[in-house]
């Protein structure tokens, strides 16, 4: 049985009373996807549909692309509980993701980050996800792991998700 909590006070009380017996409900996951058409929906859609049943929002942090509302509607994702913010700079995306995860207002925060996270970034994201009991999904196309420069590149995002 899953208990739903409404605010930070409820969460802090839960962590204080049961952190030794139950693992955190939040976490960070990287999803490296191929550019094959339809692959993104097969992997991502079931998770997003399940998370959309929560009362919390879904936040999409994307580089310079507008979220495809038709795709979301056809996929059964609730537009009224989805927020989209276009991010373009590396630190802004990670910092925005940390802040959003920490609030507890989102069931999932998706971010397109085309570079490998360093240990400090990963730790901050994991702590924020645990605190907000949220899922952080870091989306990365296959092949971007070889990028030596830590400067942001323009990631390829499946065109059916964005327009």
């Amino acid at each position: 049985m899953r208990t739903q909590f409404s605010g930070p006070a409820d969460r802090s009380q839960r962590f204080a009373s049961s952190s030794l017996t139950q693992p955190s409900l939040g976490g960070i996951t990287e999803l490296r996807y191929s550019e094959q058409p339809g692959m993104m929906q097969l992997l991502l859609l079931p998770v997003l549909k399940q998370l959309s049943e929560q009362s919390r929002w879904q936040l999409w942090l994307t580089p310079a692309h507008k979220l495809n509302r038709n795709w979301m509607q056809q996929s059964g994702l609730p537009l009224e509980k989805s927020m989209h913010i276009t991010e373009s700079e590396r630190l802004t995306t990670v910092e925005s993701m940390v802040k959003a995860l920490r609030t507890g207002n989102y069931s999932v925060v998706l971010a397109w980050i085309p570079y490998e996270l360093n240990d400090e970034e990963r730790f901050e994201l994991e702590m924020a996800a645990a605190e907000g009991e949220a899922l952080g999904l870091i989306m990365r196309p296959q092949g971007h792991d070889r990028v030596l420069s830590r400067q942001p590149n323009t990631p390829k995002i499946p065109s059916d998700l964005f327009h």
Side-chain angles (χ1 to χ4, degrees):
M1 182 171 154
R2 184 172 175 167
T3 307
Q4 195 160 5
F5 300 95
S6 60
D10 292 331
R11 271 195 304 280
S12 63
Q13 186 175 18
R14 177 186 168 270
F15 280 118
S17 64
S18 65
S19 61
L20 296 176
T21 59
Q22 290 183 336
S24 170
L25 297 176
I28 299 296
T29 298
E30 283 189 34
L31 180 59
R32 295 178 188 233
Y33 59 90
S34 72
E35 296 294 323
Q36 290 179 308
M39 185 60 73
M40 182 67 98
Q41 287 95 339
L42 291 174
L43 298 173
L44 188 59
L45 194 54
V47 172
L48 293 177
K49 279 186 177 181
Q50 182 176 2
L51 290 170
S52 72
E53 294 175 10
Q54 293 184 13
S55 62
R56 301 186 294 168
W57 288 65
Q58 294 183 356
L59 177 62
W60 299 67
L61 299 173
T62 62
H65 291 279
K66 188 176 179 183
L67 199 54
N68 187 331
R69 294 173 60 87
N70 284 337
W71 175 83
M72 289 188 71
Q73 286 176 320
Q74 291 171 355
S75 299
L77 297 175
L79 289 174
E80 68 278 0
K81 292 194 308 186
S82 297
M83 182 180 288
H84 176 239
I85 298 174
T86 303
E87 296 285 347
S88 60
E89 295 194 22
R90 168 197 163 158
L91 293 177
T92 303
T93 302
V94 173
E95 290 172 354
S96 296
M97 192 173 186
V98 166
K99 288 177 183 178
L101 288 166
R102 189 169 282 134
T103 67
N105 293 331
Y106 304 99
S107 59
V108 63
V109 177
L110 296 96
W112 273 257
I113 302 176
Y115 59 86
E116 291 291 331
L117 297 175
N118 63 39
D119 291 341
E120 182 180 334
E121 290 169 325
R122 182 167 301 284
F123 179 76
E124 283 186 71
L125 287 167
E126 288 172 356
M127 294 303 292
E131 185 178 332
E133 296 183 359
L135 175 62
L137 285 176
I138 299 167
M139 311 299 291
R140 184 174 302 124
Q142 286 179 346
H144 273 69
D145 54 339
R146 290 183 222 112
V147 175
L148 298 176
S149 168
R150 299 287 290 186
Q151 300 299 317
N153 290 343
T154 305
K156 294 180 182 177
I157 299 175
S159 61
D160 51 354
L161 293 178
F162 300 93
H163 54 93

